Amino acid sequence: ATAAAAGMKLSGRVIACLPLLFVPAMPLTRSSLIDPPGVAMLVGGILLALAGLRSIERLIPSVPDEVEGSFLVASLLAMALRAGVGMRAALEVIATHGPPDVVEPLRRARRMTCLGCSWWRSLQLVEDARLAGIGWAVWRAESRGLPAADALEEWVRAAQEERAQEFEASVRRVPVLMVFPLTLFVLPSFFLLALG
C-alpha cells in the first residue's frame, strides 16, 4: 500500500510539473520576458501547473493506518479470552484503557451494559460499524457454542482483508480520476507556458 501510494504520488508530481520545464527554456527565445502578455502567460501557466499538482495529490488515497482501533480491540479481546479472562472483565479494561479512536463508543457500550444489555448487543448498538462487527462476531460464536476468541480473530482477518481490498479499489480509480486535473490544469499550463 505504501509503495503504491508513493508511486502514484511520484508519477502525479512528475506529470503535473512537466509544464514547468518550459520556464527555464524561456530565456532561450531571446525575447523580452517582462512584457505583459509574457508575464501573464508565465504566471498563469505556473498557477495552473501548481493547481494541477495540488488536485492530483488530493486524489491519491492515503495509506491506511497500521492498526485500526477496532482491530486492536478485537485482538486484545481474543487474547484475553484465550487467557481465561471473562468477556465482561476484558471489555471493561479495554473500554477504560483502549485505543483513542474507539474509547468513546466503548464507553457508551459499557453504559448500556450497566443498564442490563449484553456486551455483544451493546457493541451492535453503538454507532461504529467496526465495533458492531465485533458484536456480531461474538453473538454468532456464542449462539453456535463456538469459542468467541476464534470468531474475533477471524473477524480481524476478514476486516483487514476488506480494508486492503477497499484501498486497492481506490488505487485503481486514481488513474481514471486524474484525467480531470490533467485536462483542466496541466494541459492548459503546457499550452500557456509553451506559448510564453
Side-chain angles (χ1 to χ4, degrees):
T2 305
M8 283 187 301
K9 193 170 282 194
L10 177 64
S11 62
R13 285 178 180 167
V14 167
I15 290 170
C17 291
L18 278 177
L20 298 177
L21 292 177
F22 285 114
V23 174
M26 284 183 174
L28 298 176
T29 61
R30 297 177 199 238
S31 61
S32 174
L33 295 176
I34 55 172
D35 60 330
V39 171
M41 284 189 260
L42 177 68
V43 171
I46 290 173
L47 289 177
L48 282 172
L50 293 176
L53 177 66
R54 175 102 170 119
S55 61
I56 286 173
E57 285 191 353
R58 290 179 72 196
L59 290 174
I60 297 169
S62 60
V63 179
D65 294 334
E66 282 296 318
V67 180
E68 189 175 297
S70 58
F71 298 162
L72 190 57
V73 168
S75 299
L76 288 172
L77 185 56
M79 285 189 283
L81 292 174
R82 288 201 187 284
V85 179
M87 175 85 65
R88 186 174 193 82
L91 280 168
E92 288 282 339
V93 171
I94 294 171
T96 306
H97 306 290
D101 59 332
V102 292
V103 165
E104 188 52 40
L106 283 174
R107 287 183 180 160
R108 284 197 309 268
R110 187 171 75 190
R111 285 192 293 271
M112 284 187 251
T113 60
C114 292
L115 296 172
C117 191
S118 65
W119 263 106
W120 62 264
R121 183 67 180 138
S122 64
L123 288 174
Q124 291 172 354
L125 293 174
V126 295
E127 296 171 359
D128 188 310
R130 298 276 191 199
L131 291 179
I134 293 172
W136 283 110
V138 171
W139 174 78
R140 277 194 304 273
E142 287 183 356
S143 66
R144 296 175 182 158
L146 299 172
D150 292 344
L152 289 168
E153 289 169 353
E154 180 59 35
W155 179 85
V156 169
R157 278 192 294 275
Q160 287 175 333
E161 186 175 315
E162 177 186 342
R163 187 174 67 165
Q165 289 173 351
E166 288 171 1
F167 180 76
E168 287 176 14
S170 66
V171 166
R172 285 192 299 270
R173 279 192 303 270
V174 169
V176 175
L177 296 174
M178 275 190 193
V179 169
F180 299 108
L182 288 174
T183 306
L184 295 175
F185 299 115
V186 177
L187 289 178
S189 173
F190 260 118
F191 177 73
L192 282 177
L193 290 175
L195 195 60

